[in-house]
Amino acid sequence: MLRGSAGAWAVLGPLLWGCGLSLLQGGMLYPRESRSRERKELDGLWSFRADFSDNRRQGFEQQWYRAPLRESGPTLDMPVPSSFNDVGQDGQLRSFVGWVWYEREITLPQRWTEDLGTRVVLRIGSAHYYAIVWVNGVHVLEHEGGHLPFEADISKLVQSGPLSSCRITIAINNTLSPHTLPPGTILYKTDPSMYPKGYFVQNTKFDFFNYAGLHRAVLLYTTPTTYIDDITVTTDMDQDIGLVNYQIIVQGSDHFQVDVSLLDEEGKVMAEGAGAEGQLQVPSAHLWWPYLMHEHPAYLYSLEVKLTAQTAVGPVSDFYTLPVGIRTVAVTESQFLINGKPFYFRGVNKHEDADIRGKGFDWPLLVKDFNLLRWLGANAFRTSHYPYAEEVLQLCDRYGIVVIDESPGVGIVLAESFSNVSLQHHLEVMEEMIRRDKNHPAVVMWSLANEPASFLKPAGYYFKTLIAHTKALDPSRPVTFVTNTNYEADLGAPYVDVICVNSYYSWYHDYGHMEVIQLQLATQFENWYKAYQKPMIQSEYGADAIEGFHEDPPLMFSEEYQKGLLQQYHVVLDQKRQEYVVGELIWNFADFMTNQSPVRMIGNRKGIFTRQRQPKSAAFLLRERYWKLANETRIYRYGRGQT
Ligand code: GCB
């Protein structure tokens, strides 16, 4: 959420729920180069300091943003993008809670600082959790929320004098409160016989390490001063004609012309249009199909948008190209349909998590993960438990990996976290998330939360409101949240389109008794379906396994136990997928870091791959299963050698 809009929200928010309007200012198009746009990435080493002062406010009291950071004390070299936690040798920094300061000095191209027809934008892909940004010591923006981008037009600051350099300072606070997403609490330990004065810890109700820092790209990009601010595309089919509805928002001038062309993968123009809003028709359209469902999955057209405007400084043009996949999504009582065909989610839950870099974006890791997903024959994943980097979704679009896009609503279990303050923030987060991700064909469903205490009384109103607002913002996609509440007690379930249930039979209870899984799982599905008649997804199931631990007969934590547990689930999934179960997502794709605890052995080990992405036995089991399922649901035959 960009600070500044909060007041308006409080007054107008309730009036706008349900009418599809967003109060966010401006679009959040992914910064792409074009004939009219340049980008300059600020990846690399930044100066860094954690504020270890007792109240963590020394940086503000001494105004560290006013002069280069090195002038107010010692600094560390900090890579961006990366979490700051695991790159150093300092245990205190690893578990630091409070403000950290990042700074980078850069030289700008002369044209950017002199051409008043150029708009220079500073964009931060993700700063966990609360961020304040200064440019050359001037406060430019604040943002709450660690997983979505935010940006500011800094043209005036960089074009105001002879300066060609620019100093960017970003203060980031990773403290979580009952009203943040995800929520957390600070616990002060006041017994002087046990803790030093002022001692506190951050408590969270989610099962992953609260990595922090600048996790994704920080970059500068340019547009003309009259520019394409946002594009919204929805698609449909009429017989074999693909329908591409578009809406384009322009900023900077009221006198402009917009032209659009839709190009196929060979670069041939398939349809053209004029005006900021319209519909393009593509005869014999190539549909966007999920991986392994079609011989040419993930077909992407390119929507080329050209803006021309008359401005005080003369005629201006802006160009932006958006990949577009033509596909439809629908839900019946027992099916999830993509392009009118039943779709079965065979996939994984992931985390943005790796050695050393924590949640920092990393191309080699990303490409490896997509290679593993395709090796598995998976066709889907859930962005558990927060929105992932935009580049992740771009690869999903390109490879046909279907996404359940989840908000950071994980660990909403305190009554306070269902208050109106929390709800309002959650509504805003959904706006930011939909604004960013709405045009990805791979995204087929929004997930609002993971395992909230949806049995608490305020949960009914909370989810009713949140789901209505999400649907109003995007009527084209189904909405869910992931539950582990009993079917009779869940107050949010009446409002979702698909029931997503997590269960850990013979892991968190009935330990070691895999023989009860089939009965318990069948009961789970039958109860839910009887109550709601909605399609269901087994959105989590799994067991920890330490790679290289072998026990036969299987014992918990061995590779054999993990495999055996999955096999028991698969027996029931195979029965129920003939009826109304539309998907299975293993917990988890890879091992990941958590808080230290006696029940976590250097993190959560439920990955079917290790944290270094090496397969455990369960990975081979799933691979066999997913390819078999793929062969059953493929709607066109593959050529030789493609499977
Ligand atoms: C869950 C949570 C997930 C945990 C997992 C586990 O239900 O959704 O975040 O990591 O269980 O392994 O306990």
Side-chain angles (χ1 to χ4, degrees), residues 206-208 351 382 385 410 450-451 484 502 504 508 540 544 587 592 600 604 606:
F206 51 82
D207 181 37
F208 54 91
H351 262 301
R382 172 165 69 117
H385 292 309
V410 55
N450 180 67
E451 298 186 354
N484 66 342
N502 295 346
Y504 285 90
Y508 286 120
E540 282 181 29
D544 288 75
W587 191 264
F592 59 90
R600 293 284 177 256
N604 186 310
K606 293 191 186 69

Side-chain angles (χ1 to χ4, degrees), residues 347-369:
V348 303
N349 291 277
K350 289 184 94 259
H351 262 301
E352 290 186 319
D353 175 272
D355 286 335
I356 302 169
R357 54 190 72 59
K359 289 199 179 304
F361 180 82
D362 182 45
W363 275 113
L365 181 76
L366 189 60
V367 171
K368 179 72 178 176
D369 280 5

Side-chain angles (χ1 to χ4, degrees), residues 212-509:
L214 288 170
H215 284 156
R216 298 178 192 154
V218 179
L219 55 85
L220 293 169
Y221 71 93
T222 63
T223 71
T225 44
T226 297
Y227 59 97
I228 300 159
D229 181 45
D230 199 10
I231 307 173
T232 305
V233 165
T234 57
T235 62
D236 207 345
M237 283 298 289
D238 180 7
Q239 315 275 353
D240 72 337
I241 304 176
L243 307 176
V244 177
N245 306 303
Y246 65 89
Q247 191 190 22
I248 292 151
I249 309 279
V250 171
Q251 294 290 351
S253 169
D254 292 333
H255 308 287
F256 58 83
Q257 186 181 331
V258 174
D259 295 292
V260 298
S261 333
L262 193 75
L263 275 58
D264 68 8
E265 284 188 350
E266 271 73 55
K268 226 169 88 202
V269 177
M270 302 309 293
E272 289 178 295
E277 217 172 315
Q279 184 181 75
L280 301 177
Q281 304 201 346
V282 190
S284 311
H286 296 282
L287 298 185
W288 187 94
W289 287 101
Y291 175 55
L292 297 182
M293 200 166 170
H294 188 273
E295 59 200 336
H296 190 150
Y299 194 97
L300 290 176
Y301 291 89
S302 300
L303 183 72
E304 290 191 350
V305 180
K306 180 183 177 195
L307 163 75
T308 31
Q310 288 305 324
T311 67
V313 286
V316 164
S317 299
D318 190 20
F319 303 86
Y320 191 91
T321 301
L322 181 78
V324 169
I326 302 177
R327 59 110 184 87
T328 62
V329 173
V331 164
T332 71
E333 267 190 13
S334 58
Q335 290 176 316
F336 196 98
L337 304 172
I338 296 186
N339 301 330
K341 301 278 185 235
F343 176 75
Y344 189 76
F345 295 78
R346 27 166 230 278
V348 303
N349 291 277
K350 289 184 94 259
H351 262 301
E352 290 186 319
D353 175 272
D355 286 335
I356 302 169
R357 54 190 72 59
K359 289 199 179 304
F361 180 82
D362 182 45
W363 275 113
L365 181 76
L366 189 60
V367 171
K368 179 72 178 176
D369 280 5
F370 274 89
N371 287 335
L372 289 174
L373 284 170
R374 291 183 296 167
W375 174 86
L376 274 179
N379 65 2
F381 65 81
R382 172 165 69 117
T383 67
S384 44
H385 292 309
Y386 37 80
Y388 292 178
E390 290 154 285
E391 292 80 359
V392 176
L393 298 183
Q394 287 163 10
L395 284 193
C396 289
D397 290 344
R398 281 179 50 178
Y399 296 146
I401 304 293
V402 165
V403 176
I404 301 173
D405 200 355
E406 187 157 282
S407 92
V410 55
I412 307 179
V413 294
L414 300 172
E416 277 173 280
S417 302
F418 285 99
S419 67
N420 282 346
V421 179
S422 292
L423 174 58
Q424 182 174 308
H425 178 55
H426 207 152
L427 291 166
E428 289 160 0
V429 168
M430 288 318 298
E431 294 207 358
E432 284 189 28
M433 190 171 149
I434 292 172
R435 174 175 68 170
R436 191 195 73 161
D437 294 347
K438 62 190 170 186
N439 293 323
H440 288 284
V443 174
V444 299
M445 181 153 65
W446 305 113
S447 167
L448 306 179
N450 180 67
E451 298 186 354
S454 44
F455 49 86
L456 292 179
K457 209 159 158 238
Y461 174 75
Y462 189 96
F463 281 104
K464 186 178 175 190
T465 311
L466 194 56
I467 291 172
H469 188 61
T470 305
K471 281 177 170 290
L473 291 166
D474 177 13
S476 77
R477 289 178 177 89
V479 180
T480 190
F481 70 89
V482 170
T483 186
N484 66 342
T485 294
N486 182 279
Y487 76 102
E488 285 177 309
D490 198 309
L491 301 173
Y495 310 108
V496 300
D497 296 305
V498 175
I499 304 272
C500 290
V501 178
N502 295 346
S503 57
Y504 285 90
Y505 301 126
S506 110
W507 190 258
Y508 286 120
H509 52 84

